Amino acid sequence: MGMTMALAGCGATGSSGDVTLKLVAADYGTGPANSSEKYWSALAKDFETRNPGIKVDVDVRSWKTVDADVASMVKRGEAPDIAQIGAYADYVKQDALYSADELLNIPTQANFLTQLSDAGKVNRIQYGLPFVASTRLLFYNEKLFDEAGLSAPKTWADIESDAKALKAEGVTTPFALPLGSEEAQAETMMWLLSGGGGYTETADDSYSIDSAQNVETFKWLQKNLVGDGLTGPVAPGKLDRAAAFTAFNAGKVGMLNGHPTLMQEAEKAGVKVGMVPLPGINGKSKSSMGVADWMMAFKQPGHREAAGKFLDFVFSDKNVLDFVGQYDLLPVTYSANDAMAKDPRYADLSKFQDALPTSQLPPVGKTSWAKVSESIKKNIGKAVEPGVNPSTVLGAIARDAVTAEAAE
């Protein structure tokens, strides 16, 4: 168990007991009352008590700026020891990160859910350490469904017929389809998976954005939801996720794809929520979309051993559950997931947990993904506009992907 730590114990690692680790982390809270600052400060204090001589300087920043802030720090030669942010792959390209096996003890490494640890790999070496996970489900307003005499949809045809029934009942937005710039790459991936496709080929991890399955998925959305006026007054390409969620919480949306935080917000707003896996063409989708945020340790400060000790502590079951339980997220480790499944306090997350083992993450290990994601956000809304050939739009995004790959 101590093999990795022993091998790491050379250089400026802090073994002399005089290390201060700089941690930059994202804030998952909605205000001072539930700021992540409280979690990290308490965890750092506990760690320092158990590890005399190692201090942790906690710096929690808004999600709006934290990725850019860390990038600026690295560029200035002032990289933090550890960052908890949205993406890691660009730093692997810069040879800026320690690998997982240079940091963590073997039990910690082996405890990550396989699909999450795989998503943290570049060239089969893990650099990104999944911090929290989430999956997506189809949400529906139970009150609106009851009034229209509907049950939860199981297929795409059900989604269409339910949306028509909701429209007939006067529901403003029977199905919210946010393909605006805020989070279009996630909404797109959910639909691609439910249509039997995805962003990449399983065999060689190459992009397959304009595959036949993906084109057919967007043709269906264009014709059967958007074309029939079932997606509300705002065009999908102009609709951001935040606006769709706000409308759902106001009782104006019949169905949309959502995550655990929306469940919590809707319940506070008095909306009774039903949740099912996103239906596929003829039944349950082969997989749901998974999402993970990441931790990483930078080589620049040179505190490998101390950083590894801290990260092993971060991924202990108690600390993992303390964080995910506060923000309605999912654990990234097998043992913490088992503990959550057995604890009635987390019963409302069970459907998300059930979807996690078969979930598929975006291709975050590709350093080209950031550019491809931007192209999707900018362009995908056009694919469902009246009179547009979805194949043309997906083909243009696919060409952007080829260009982005070639530039890496």
Side-chain angles (χ1 to χ4, degrees):
M1 291 174 63
M3 184 181 298
T4 303
M5 304 303 287
L7 292 173
C10 57
T13 61
S15 56
S16 59
D18 56 358
V19 170
T20 297
L21 296 174
K22 172 76 171 181
L23 165 69
V24 177
D27 193 352
Y28 289 73
T30 56
N34 68 343
S35 171
S36 302
E37 176 85 36
K38 293 183 178 180
Y39 169 84
W40 285 114
S41 294
L43 184 144
K45 184 177 180 180
D46 189 9
F47 175 78
E48 290 169 354
T49 300
R50 298 165 186 258
N51 296 271
I54 304 177
K55 300 294 183 182
V56 182
D57 177 13
V58 173
D59 183 359
V60 174
R61 303 190 177 208
S62 166
W63 262 119
K64 293 181 180 179
T65 65
V66 68
D67 285 277
D69 291 346
V70 170
S72 296
M73 292 175 191
V74 174
K75 190 173 182 179
R76 294 196 305 266
E78 301 171 359
D81 291 278
I82 298 167
Q84 185 274 297
I85 52 179
Y88 68 88
D90 279 347
Y91 301 117
V92 178
K93 181 183 175 184
Q94 300 170 33
D95 193 28
L97 301 180
Y98 291 121
S99 63
D101 61 1
E102 290 177 303
L103 294 163
L104 305 174
N105 65 36
I106 292 172
T108 302
Q109 290 183 67
N111 200 20
F112 290 123
L113 295 175
T114 301
Q115 78 271 32
L116 298 181
S117 59
D118 285 348
K121 293 178 180 178
V122 175
N123 296 326
R124 300 183 181 180
I125 298 173
Q126 185 180 359
Y127 297 92
L129 312 178
F131 175 60
V132 291
S134 180
T135 53
R136 300 292 187 262
L137 297 173
L138 176 69
F139 284 43
Y140 62 95
N141 182 315
E142 288 192 351
K143 179 174 180 289
L144 296 180
F145 265 59
D146 288 344
E147 290 173 349
L150 303 173
S151 56
K154 297 179 180 178
T155 66
W156 283 6
D158 292 343
I159 290 177
E160 180 184 7
S161 61
D162 289 351
K164 287 179 177 177
L166 292 167
K167 183 180 180 181
E169 290 288 320
V171 175
T172 305
T173 303
F175 196 106
L177 185 66
L179 295 176
S181 60
E182 179 195 0
E183 192 76 2
Q185 83 287 356
E187 183 73 17
T188 297
M189 183 172 179
M190 287 180 253
W191 283 101
L192 298 185
L193 290 172
S194 71
Y199 282 133
T200 58
E201 292 286 353
T202 304
D204 60 2
D205 200 36
S206 61
Y207 285 112
S208 58
I209 293 168
D210 59 346
S211 70
Q213 298 103 309
N214 293 346
V215 170
E216 287 303 311
T217 292
F218 269 82
K219 284 182 177 179
W220 187 88
L221 289 172
Q222 181 190 52
K223 177 184 176 182
N224 298 72
L225 289 188
V226 182
D228 280 346
L230 303 177
T231 53
V234 180
K238 302 292 184 182
L239 181 64
D240 282 343
R241 182 183 64 172
F245 283 9
T246 298
F248 184 80
N249 293 338
K252 297 178 180 179
V253 172
M255 295 173 278
L256 49 57
N257 293 319
H259 53 50
T261 303
L262 175 61
M263 172 187 67
Q264 184 183 52
E265 293 171 350
E267 288 174 353
K268 288 180 180 177
V271 176
K272 192 173 181 183
V273 181
M275 296 176 291
V276 292
L278 179 61
I281 300 172
N282 298 308
K284 185 178 178 182
S285 175
K286 67 174 183 178
S287 63
S288 64
M289 189 189 78
V291 178
D293 296 325
W294 302 93
M295 296 198 80
M296 60 215 70
F298 287 89
K299 294 179 179 179
Q300 201 176 86
H303 299 145
R304 179 171 60 175
E305 183 179 1
K309 285 182 178 180
F310 180 73
L311 288 166
D312 280 326
F313 185 67
V314 166
F315 290 110
S316 65
D317 284 357
K318 178 186 180 301
N319 291 329
V320 169
L321 288 170
D322 281 351
F323 191 90
V324 297
Q326 182 176 355
Y327 298 109
D328 278 340
L329 295 164
L330 300 180
V332 297
T333 63
Y334 286 104
S335 57
N337 265 286
D338 287 344
M340 175 178 274
K342 295 172 184 176
D343 192 328
R345 290 179 298 171
Y346 305 114
D348 56 349
L349 292 172
S350 62
K351 289 185 178 180
F352 294 95
Q353 272 199 291
D354 290 344
L356 187 59
T358 59
S359 65
Q360 185 174 325
L361 274 71
V364 292
K366 286 176 167 290
T367 53
S368 59
W369 172 240
K371 293 178 181 177
V372 176
S373 178
E374 284 304 312
S375 179
I376 295 166
K377 290 178 183 180
K378 181 180 178 181
N379 297 302
I380 196 64
K382 302 170 190 174
V384 295
E385 290 178 358
V388 173
N389 186 343
S391 179
T392 302
V393 177
L394 291 172
I397 297 171
R399 289 191 293 275
D400 287 345
V402 170
T403 301
E405 281 279 86
E408 297 302 329

